[in-house]
Amino acid sequence: MIHRHELPLLLTGLLSTLCGVGLSRMAFTALMPALVQAHWFSADQAAYLGAATLLGYLLGALGAHWLTERWSVPRVLLGSFVAVTLSFALSALPQPFVTFFAWRCLAGIAAAVLMVVGPSAAMAALPTARRAVLGPVLFAGVGVGALLSATLIPALVRLDLFWTWVALALVSALCGWWGWRSSRRIPAAAAQLARLQPAAPAAPQPAPTTGRLWLLPVLWLLAAYACDAAGFVPHTVFWVDYLARERELGTAFGALQWGLFGLGALIGPIVTAACAARWDWHRAVVGGMALKTAAVCIPVALPWLLLSGPAPTLQLVAYGVSSLVVGALSPGMAALTSGRLLQLVGPLAHKRIWGYATAVFALAQALSGTGMAWLYAQSHVYQPLFALAAGVLALGTLLAWASRTR
């Protein structure tokens, strides 16, 4: 049951992750095959444009904390929402690769700021007893955005790419107006919730280490989060193009799988919230990493299993499981990592450490995205990228296990 005073907090987090990652990043993944087929860009250029978003994400993650030290949270969020809207509007017409690269970088910068500032501000204002239940739900906006891009974009690209970009700009503008208004209500909502639950008992957890930010468990967890960032790049950047063109399964199949990815991203935070409430944060993080590793292994193993002949039902189910699980654990791992860091360092240091975590995530993601785009440009084959990603995620699982505090 959600209390009415919690709604501004939830809406701030949801709309920040929806506009920031769900639209500014995930929508471009669904658009990549259409941009290539419309001859706006070559396949190699489209891959580099996907990496441009990740580069911008790194820059935004590094600057997010600096921005909030100089301006209020609502102002920072408003500027980021406007930047996402502009990045879509300015991409509506064919243009040189360099300028399009700049708009994708702008989208990535704004996405990172929204991802750091929105959920962190909302999480800090939630009562301690409600963080494990509602905290992961703040990241459900990633799934809503991916689901919208899977359903809206295939219909719009049949009309025209121009109207696709315009529609994305309008949706981003609506999210921005609503999210900004919600963020302005956070202080009043937090005060009301504090009065309603003045003596709410906190769940047993390790003592916060606000004064000692860089403890060994924190470092192991940040390293695991970096592996998560590098390991799910193929699914979030190349997945639709891989299925549609390399596997020759068609754009409709690719759109269907991206819809399943979005559905997974929508329900993932709800499932991870239940896991965090039932088990401790550490076990939930390790279990999530292990499950994500297995899901990324599916596109590596499946082509070998189908050497004897086509098996459309097996492909639909297997690729569907991969899409659903990786989709669920895209925002799910962010939510679990954020909650675990909050447990390790306490609420006062959470925004700072979550900003560092997002920067580490963005750096690993940018390096992985750029490196994988280069590898694809050399080989023109996506398949080895998924094998590389699975190995990185397996390493991340071990690092997450090593981050235990006892």
Side-chain angles (χ1 to χ4, degrees):
M1 184 71 178
I2 297 175
H3 195 278
R4 64 186 179 88
H5 294 305
E6 294 171 337
L7 282 177
L9 314 182
L10 291 177
L11 286 174
T12 299
L14 279 170
L15 292 167
S16 295
T17 55
L18 165 58
C19 187
V21 176
L23 292 178
S24 70
R25 280 192 50 208
M26 300 297 185
F28 187 74
T29 302
L31 271 170
M32 279 178 64
L35 291 174
V36 175
Q37 290 166 3
H39 305 293
W40 280 32
F41 302 104
S42 67
D44 294 353
Q45 288 176 322
Y48 278 114
L49 288 173
T53 312
L54 306 184
L55 175 62
Y57 197 83
L58 169 61
L59 297 176
L62 292 173
H65 181 70
W66 179 85
L67 290 173
T68 57
E69 291 295 307
R70 282 151 183 80
W71 292 285
S72 66
V73 166
R75 285 189 177 185
V76 172
L77 291 178
L78 178 61
S80 302
F81 283 126
V82 170
V84 171
T85 303
L86 284 176
S87 74
F88 284 134
L90 294 170
S91 301
L93 294 173
Q95 54 200 282
F97 173 80
V98 174
T99 56
F100 211 94
F101 190 96
W103 308 144
R104 293 316 305 157
C105 276
L106 177 64
I109 292 170
V113 175
L114 289 169
M115 192 70 173
V116 172
V117 177
S120 180
M123 183 86 85
L126 280 171
T128 304
R130 298 286 283 166
R131 285 172 185 159
V133 177
L134 296 180
V137 182
L138 301 174
F139 295 85
V142 176
V144 176
L147 201 56
L148 277 175
S149 67
T151 54
L152 186 66
I153 288 175
L156 288 172
V157 292
R158 293 191 188 98
L159 300 175
D160 190 62
L161 274 173
F162 172 82
W163 291 112
T164 304
W165 290 111
V166 169
L168 289 170
L170 291 174
V171 173
S172 298
L174 178 61
C175 290
W177 176 80
W178 199 5
W180 171 68
R181 285 177 58 88
S182 299
S183 68
R184 294 178 65 190
R185 296 166 56 198
I186 285 179
Q192 288 287 346
L193 289 170
R195 281 195 290 268
L196 288 172
Q197 299 179 344
Q205 59 182 15
T209 56
T210 306
R212 300 172 60 197
L213 208 60
W214 302 111
L215 295 178
L216 193 57
V218 173
L219 296 175
W220 285 128
L221 186 59
L222 292 180
Y225 197 42
C227 290
D228 177 55
F232 88 136
V233 163
H235 267 76
T236 55
V237 179
F238 309 122
W239 186 232
V240 176
D241 202 36
Y242 165 72
L243 294 172
R245 294 194 307 110
E246 184 168 313
R247 297 300 300 156
E248 298 181 346
L249 296 170
T251 54
F253 187 89
L256 172 62
Q257 293 300 321
W258 193 241
L260 290 173
F261 183 99
L263 178 62
L266 182 61
I267 64 175
I270 301 170
V271 174
T272 53
C275 292
R278 182 178 179 85
W279 299 295
D280 61 80
W281 287 101
H282 174 255
R283 283 194 291 177
V285 169
V286 175
M289 286 290 292
L291 189 59
K292 199 170 188 178
T293 303
V296 173
C297 283
I298 290 176
V300 178
L302 192 60
W304 297 97
L305 298 175
L306 298 177
L307 287 176
S308 58
T313 303
L314 176 60
Q315 287 187 93
L316 178 62
V317 172
Y319 285 131
V321 169
S322 183
S323 297
L324 197 66
V325 172
V326 177
L329 290 170
S330 294
M333 287 309 304
L336 290 173
T337 304
S338 177
R340 175 63 171 154
L341 286 171
L342 179 66
Q343 184 185 54
L344 288 172
V345 305
L348 295 179
H350 180 256
K351 185 179 73 172
R352 173 178 287 185
I353 195 64
W354 180 235
Y356 291 145
T358 305
V360 167
F361 184 95
L363 176 61
Q365 191 174 229
L367 292 174
S368 176
T370 305
M372 288 186 179
W374 181 83
L375 287 173
Y376 177 75
Q378 306 309 306
S379 65
H380 299 284
V381 179
Y382 285 126
Q383 183 71 20
L385 305 183
F386 290 93
L388 178 61
V392 172
L393 285 169
L395 173 62
T397 304
L398 296 175
L399 291 169
W401 177 81
S403 71
R404 67 193 187 281
T405 52
R406 62 181 186 276

